[in-house]
PDB file of all heavy atoms in Angstrom:
ATOM      1  N   PHE J  39      13.150  89.394 104.115  1.00 55.00           N
ATOM      2  CA  PHE J  39      13.848  89.907 102.937  1.00 55.00           C
ATOM      3  C   PHE J  39      13.959  91.423 103.084  1.00 55.00           C
ATOM      4  O   PHE J  39      13.211  92.087 103.795  1.00 55.00           O
ATOM      5  CB  PHE J  39      13.095  89.524 101.660  1.00 55.00           C
ATOM      6  CG  PHE J  39      11.952  90.444 101.318  1.00 55.00           C
ATOM      7  CD1 PHE J  39      12.116  91.429 100.364  1.00 55.00           C
ATOM      8  CD2 PHE J  39      10.743  90.338 101.962  1.00 55.00           C
ATOM      9  CE1 PHE J  39      11.077  92.265 100.072  1.00 55.00           C
ATOM     10  CE2 PHE J  39       9.707  91.176 101.659  1.00 55.00           C
ATOM     11  CZ  PHE J  39       9.868  92.151 100.704  1.00 55.00           C
ATOM     12  N   LYS J  40      14.972  91.967 102.369  1.00 50.00           N
ATOM     13  CA  LYS J  40      15.211  93.422 102.357  1.00 50.00           C
ATOM     14  C   LYS J  40      15.382  93.845 100.923  1.00 50.00           C
ATOM     15  O   LYS J  40      15.933  93.096 100.115  1.00 50.00           O
ATOM     16  CB  LYS J  40      16.473  93.808 103.133  1.00 50.00           C
ATOM     17  CG  LYS J  40      16.496  93.317 104.581  1.00 50.00           C
ATOM     18  CD  LYS J  40      17.228  92.047 104.711  1.00 50.00           C
ATOM     19  CE  LYS J  40      17.111  91.484 106.133  1.00 50.00           C
ATOM     20  NZ  LYS J  40      17.746  90.187 106.253  1.00 50.00           N
ATOM     21  N   HIS J  41      14.893  95.010 100.586  1.00 51.00           N
ATOM     22  CA  HIS J  41      15.156  95.571  99.250  1.00 51.00           C
ATOM     23  C   HIS J  41      15.749  96.953  99.475  1.00 51.00           C
ATOM     24  O   HIS J  41      15.362  97.682 100.364  1.00 51.00           O
ATOM     25  CB  HIS J  41      13.859  95.632  98.403  1.00 51.00           C
ATOM     26  CG  HIS J  41      12.738  96.377  99.055  1.00 51.00           C
ATOM     27  ND1 HIS J  41      12.591  97.738  98.973  1.00 51.00           N
ATOM     28  CD2 HIS J  41      11.704  95.919  99.812  1.00 51.00           C
ATOM     29  CE1 HIS J  41      11.511  98.109  99.629  1.00 51.00           C
ATOM     30  NE2 HIS J  41      10.963  97.018 100.162  1.00 51.00           N
ATOM     31  N   PHE J  42      16.731  97.283  98.624  1.00 48.00           N
ATOM     32  CA  PHE J  42      17.496  98.512  98.781  1.00 48.00           C
ATOM     33  C   PHE J  42      17.124  99.480  97.679  1.00 48.00           C
ATOM     34  O   PHE J  42      17.331  99.195  96.488  1.00 48.00           O
ATOM     35  CB  PHE J  42      19.000  98.205  98.692  1.00 48.00           C
ATOM     36  CG  PHE J  42      19.461  97.311  99.804  1.00 48.00           C
ATOM     37  CD1 PHE J  42      19.433  95.934  99.655  1.00 48.00           C
ATOM     38  CD2 PHE J  42      19.889  97.849 101.006  1.00 48.00           C
ATOM     39  CE1 PHE J  42      19.839  95.110 100.668  1.00 48.00           C
ATOM     40  CE2 PHE J  42      20.313  97.010 102.015  1.00 48.00           C
ATOM     41  CZ  PHE J  42      20.289  95.644 101.857  1.00 48.00           C
ATOM     42  N   PRO J  43      16.540 100.610  98.040  1.00 47.00           N
ATOM     43  CA  PRO J  43      16.169 101.612  97.015  1.00 47.00           C
ATOM     44  C   PRO J  43      17.399 102.376  96.527  1.00 47.00           C
ATOM     45  O   PRO J  43      18.389 102.498  97.232  1.00 47.00           O
ATOM     46  CB  PRO J  43      15.206 102.530  97.758  1.00 47.00           C
ATOM     47  CG  PRO J  43      15.623 102.439  99.175  1.00 47.00           C
ATOM     48  CD  PRO J  43      16.150 101.055  99.392  1.00 47.00           C
ATOM     49  N   LYS J  44      17.320 102.808  95.264  1.00 42.00           N
ATOM     50  CA  LYS J  44      18.372 103.658  94.699  1.00 42.00           C
ATOM     51  C   LYS J  44      17.995 105.119  94.887  1.00 42.00           C
ATOM     52  O   LYS J  44      16.843 105.465  95.126  1.00 42.00           O
ATOM     53  CB  LYS J  44      18.554 103.342  93.210  1.00 42.00           C
ATOM     54  CG  LYS J  44      19.141 101.953  92.963  1.00 42.00           C
ATOM     55  CD  LYS J  44      19.434 101.778  91.509  1.00 42.00           C
ATOM     56  CE  LYS J  44      20.063 100.413  91.241  1.00 42.00           C
ATOM     57  NZ  LYS J  44      20.376 100.218  89.819  1.00 42.00           N
ATOM     58  N   THR J  45      18.970 105.935  94.733  1.00 38.00           N
ATOM     59  CA  THR J  45      18.723 107.376  94.903  1.00 38.00           C
ATOM     60  C   THR J  45      17.812 107.896  93.822  1.00 38.00           C
ATOM     61  O   THR J  45      16.952 108.721  94.063  1.00 38.00           O
ATOM     62  CB  THR J  45      20.060 108.123  94.890  1.00 38.00           C
ATOM     63  OG1 THR J  45      20.742 107.781  93.674  1.00 38.00           O
ATOM     64  CG2 THR J  45      20.925 107.694  96.061  1.00 38.00           C
ATOM     65  N   ALA J  46      18.011 107.370  92.619  1.00 41.00           N
ATOM     66  CA  ALA J  46      17.145 107.786  91.512  1.00 41.00           C
ATOM     67  C   ALA J  46      16.217 106.629  91.176  1.00 41.00           C
ATOM     68  O   ALA J  46      16.668 105.625  90.644  1.00 41.00           O
ATOM     69  CB  ALA J  46      17.990 108.190  90.304  1.00 41.00           C
ATOM     70  N   GLN J  47      14.945 106.745  91.520  1.00 44.00           N
ATOM     71  CA  GLN J  47      13.984 105.678  91.278  1.00 44.00           C
ATOM     72  C   GLN J  47      13.661 105.629  89.795  1.00 44.00           C
ATOM     73  O   GLN J  47      13.437 106.643  89.154  1.00 44.00           O
ATOM     74  CB  GLN J  47      12.696 105.913  92.083  1.00 44.00           C
ATOM     75  CG  GLN J  47      12.868 105.807  93.564  1.00 44.00           C
ATOM     76  CD  GLN J  47      13.096 104.370  93.987  1.00 44.00           C
ATOM     77  OE1 GLN J  47      12.799 103.458  93.257  1.00 44.00           O
ATOM     78  NE2 GLN J  47      13.676 104.192  95.166  1.00 44.00           N
ATOM     79  N   PRO J  48      13.586 104.429  89.228  1.00 44.00           N
ATOM     80  CA  PRO J  48      13.204 104.322  87.817  1.00 44.00           C
ATOM     81  C   PRO J  48      11.714 104.569  87.654  1.00 44.00           C
ATOM     82  O   PRO J  48      10.966 104.646  88.610  1.00 44.00           O
ATOM     83  CB  PRO J  48      13.580 102.873  87.477  1.00 44.00           C
ATOM     84  CG  PRO J  48      13.436 102.152  88.767  1.00 44.00           C
ATOM     85  CD  PRO J  48      13.835 103.126  89.832  1.00 44.00           C
ATOM     86  N   ALA J  49      11.314 104.663  86.403  1.00 47.00           N
ATOM     87  CA  ALA J  49       9.889 104.860  86.110  1.00 47.00           C
ATOM     88  C   ALA J  49       9.086 103.661  86.581  1.00 47.00           C
ATOM     89  O   ALA J  49       9.517 102.540  86.454  1.00 47.00           O
ATOM     90  CB  ALA J  49       9.695 105.088  84.601  1.00 47.00           C
ATOM     91  N   THR J  50       7.926 103.935  87.141  1.00 49.00           N
ATOM     92  CA  THR J  50       7.089 102.860  87.695  1.00 49.00           C
ATOM     93  C   THR J  50       6.364 102.089  86.606  1.00 49.00           C
ATOM     94  O   THR J  50       5.590 101.204  86.901  1.00 49.00           O
ATOM     95  CB  THR J  50       6.055 103.466  88.663  1.00 49.00           C
ATOM     96  OG1 THR J  50       5.263 104.410  87.942  1.00 49.00           O
ATOM     97  CG2 THR J  50       6.739 104.109  89.845  1.00 49.00           C
ATOM     98  N   GLY J  51       6.589 102.390  85.379  1.00 52.00           N
ATOM     99  CA  GLY J  51       5.901 101.702  84.285  1.00 52.00           C
ATOM    100  C   GLY J  51       6.633 100.480  83.780  1.00 52.00           C
ATOM    101  O   GLY J  51       6.269  99.941  82.746  1.00 52.00           O
ATOM    102  N   ASP J  52       7.703 100.047  84.442  1.00 72.00           N
ATOM    103  CA  ASP J  52       8.431  98.858  83.967  1.00 72.00           C
ATOM    104  C   ASP J  52       7.510  97.651  83.998  1.00 72.00           C
ATOM    105  O   ASP J  52       6.723  97.486  84.931  1.00 72.00           O
ATOM    106  CB  ASP J  52       9.652  98.606  84.851  1.00 72.00           C
ATOM    107  CG  ASP J  52      10.711  99.665  84.644  1.00 72.00           C
ATOM    108  OD1 ASP J  52      10.637 100.401  83.637  1.00 72.00           O
ATOM    109  OD2 ASP J  52      11.604  99.747  85.489  1.00 72.00           O
ATOM    110  N   ILE J  53       7.691  96.773  82.997  1.00 82.00           N
ATOM    111  CA  ILE J  53       6.851  95.570  82.910  1.00 82.00           C
ATOM    112  C   ILE J  53       7.672  94.348  83.295  1.00 82.00           C
ATOM    113  O   ILE J  53       8.902  94.365  83.223  1.00 82.00           O
ATOM    114  CB  ILE J  53       6.281  95.387  81.483  1.00 82.00           C
ATOM    115  CG1 ILE J  53       7.428  95.242  80.486  1.00 82.00           C
ATOM    116  CG2 ILE J  53       5.365  96.532  81.107  1.00 82.00           C
ATOM    117  CD1 ILE J  53       6.986  94.913  79.095  1.00 82.00           C
ATOM    118  N   GLY J  54       6.957  93.234  83.725  1.00 82.00           N
ATOM    119  CA  GLY J  54       7.623  91.968  84.018  1.00 82.00           C
ATOM    120  C   GLY J  54       8.205  91.878  85.399  1.00 82.00           C
ATOM    121  O   GLY J  54       8.795  90.860  85.755  1.00 82.00           O
TER     122      GLY J  54
END
Side-chain angles (χ1 to χ4, degrees):
F39 83 100
K40 304 96 186 176
H41 55 85
F42 297 90
K44 292 186 178 181
T45 55
Q47 293 289 341
T50 59
D52 290 344
I53 60 174

